[in-house]
Amino acid sequence: MPHPNDFPWTRMRRMRQADFSRRLMAEHTLTVDDLIYPVFVLEGEQQREAIASMPGIERLSVDLLVEEAKQLAALGIPAIALFPVTPAEKKSLQAEEAWNPDGLAQRAVRALKAAVPELGVITDVALDPFTTHGQDGIIDDSGYVVNDVTTTALVKQALSHAEAGADVVAPSDMMDGRIGAIREALEEAGFVNTRILAYSAKYASSYYGPFRDAVGSAANLKGGDKKTYQMDPANSDEALREVALDLTEGADMVMVKPGMPYLDIVRRVKDEFGVPTFAYQVSGEYAMHMAAIQNGWLAEKPVIMESLLAFKRAGADGILTYFAKKVALWLQEK
């Protein structure tokens, strides 16, 4: 008599034969609660600009972004991640516009929280949209990003976001020690419930190109790279050290970026720490999907849904994705 785990007593296809049993044994499910929608905001009123390298995604002025946010909240999307497009004349070597209380990001946060208070607002804490050179920090004469000087600026930026009403500040710069400095400053200023989403494992990836186009930092970077502060794509153990440090310093959530090429990192982080773990399906991933979809090489809905389910399977609690609005609509159709 065959062992109970041997064929034909065990036929793995039995449970796959019908839809009901496939649904019953599904190990992971994607819901609207998993989605965070990254949005780009620009100056002016009634302004919208298409982003050529990200078909279907637009930069919106604050007034139009507020209307978009109302639709997102109605769809049940929990939060948006806000990225400002800074005019060239407001960029500088010291990135002072980053903590201007009347800056674009700060005004957008106030407008969003006034109009759609239930929608979580996550702000990007990094200097690259505000520097003339496109780096995420303040540089010395050799072009090297100076860590501690940059951290001082990031603390000012994070405080200005908290004062404007941001629910979550998300340092994406990869400076050493910045989470602890920001947490201490938030506590001292009374922002004890402002959450920190730390981009703890952000890699020096080639998948960010369309995003840099979207926020207007690509031209400033002039072909430079960010390898002296973002992580080497070759490294995995190092990501765990980065996450451990950020958690010790007071991060509430951690981020892995990019997403699909780094799902092994998501899995390791979730297994090791068991903390809220997020991943970013970045602009290059979006652009690749859209190029293939628009050329008829991939079927839109199934491939997008599969890509996001992969994040859940890897252990992500939430996914930043430019497909969030589209997916939320699809989920309502079920």
Side-chain angles (χ1 to χ4, degrees):
M1 179 176 178
H3 188 278
N5 288 332
D6 291 341
F7 179 86
W9 271 251
T10 298
R11 291 180 180 265
M12 296 297 289
R13 291 183 57 194
R14 278 195 200 107
M15 290 295 287
R16 300 176 197 148
Q17 189 270 334
D19 178 67
F20 84 89
S21 52
R22 290 194 297 270
R23 287 163 54 200
L24 285 170
M25 74 168 188
E27 298 174 29
H28 301 281
T29 305
L30 180 73
T31 77
V32 71
D33 297 332
D34 300 315
L35 305 175
I36 299 168
Y37 193 35
V39 295
F40 301 103
V41 61
L42 49 70
E43 293 283 5
E45 293 183 2
Q46 293 293 304
Q47 297 295 311
R48 62 173 70 239
E49 294 177 355
I51 302 166
S53 54
M54 299 180 69
I57 303 299
E58 296 178 312
R59 308 177 188 95
L60 300 175
S61 53
V62 174
D63 54 332
L64 296 183
L65 179 59
V66 166
E67 294 308 307
E68 176 84 342
K70 292 176 181 177
Q71 296 178 37
L72 299 173
L75 287 168
I77 291 174
I80 60 173
L82 184 66
F83 297 96
V85 182
T86 307
E89 64 273 15
K90 293 187 177 180
K91 299 187 181 195
S92 66
L93 283 171
Q94 302 299 314
E96 292 93 344
E97 185 64 17
W99 57 88
N100 178 359
D102 294 315
L104 178 57
Q106 291 82 351
R107 281 184 280 119
V109 170
R110 287 195 292 269
L112 288 163
K113 294 310 297 183
V116 200
E118 70 274 22
L119 183 68
V121 176
I122 302 169
T123 57
D124 184 49
V125 178
L127 303 185
D128 52 322
F130 308 96
T131 56
T132 50
H133 44 72
Q135 295 289 351
D136 291 38
I138 295 167
I139 60 173
D140 62 17
D141 291 341
S142 70
Y144 182 76
V145 174
V146 184
N147 194 95
D148 297 1
V149 173
T150 297
T151 295
T152 299
L154 295 170
V155 168
K156 294 177 185 177
Q157 184 183 22
L159 282 173
S160 75
H161 291 178
E163 288 164 356
D167 300 293
V168 183
V169 292
S172 64
D173 55 286
M174 289 298 288
M175 296 300 111
D176 291 331
R178 88 279 201 214
I179 300 301
I182 291 169
R183 174 56 73 204
E184 182 177 8
L186 290 171
E187 290 288 324
E188 289 179 354
F191 298 110
V192 299
N193 287 324
T194 301
R195 305 151 191 84
I196 297 177
L197 168 56
Y199 284 63
S200 300
K202 182 177 181 180
Y203 285 82
S205 171
S206 299
Y207 285 90
Y208 301 147
F211 175 91
R212 291 172 183 165
D213 292 338
V215 297
S217 65
N220 300 95
L221 199 55
K222 295 184 174 68
D225 61 55
K226 303 186 178 186
K227 294 179 180 179
T228 67
Y229 47 99
Q230 294 178 359
M231 282 188 54
D232 186 340
N235 294 353
S236 175
D237 292 344
E238 184 185 12
L240 299 188
R241 293 186 66 191
E242 288 279 11
V243 170
L245 286 166
D246 284 354
L247 290 171
T248 300
E249 292 175 23
D252 301 290
M253 304 163 271
V254 295
M255 175 86 80
V256 175
K257 181 181 180 184
M260 286 184 71
Y262 295 84
L263 292 181
D264 61 314
I265 309 300
V266 176
R267 181 76 269 163
R268 290 195 69 187
V269 168
K270 191 63 177 178
D271 286 346
E272 179 75 17
F273 301 102
V275 298
T277 303
F278 294 77
Y280 199 143
Q281 188 179 47
V282 298
S283 59
E285 297 173 64
Y286 176 86
M288 289 192 301
H289 277 94
M290 289 304 297
I293 289 163
Q294 290 182 338
N295 275 288
W297 299 333
L298 291 174
E300 182 180 37
K301 182 177 177 180
V303 79
I304 291 171
M305 297 298 280
E306 181 181 340
S307 75
L308 297 178
L309 189 60
F311 283 82
K312 294 296 295 179
R313 191 185 65 247
D317 297 292
I319 310 156
L320 279 80
T321 174
Y322 300 98
F323 293 119
K325 184 178 179 182
K326 185 173 290 191
V327 169
L329 285 165
W330 289 336
L331 290 171
Q332 280 196 347
E333 295 169 0
K334 280 191 173 183

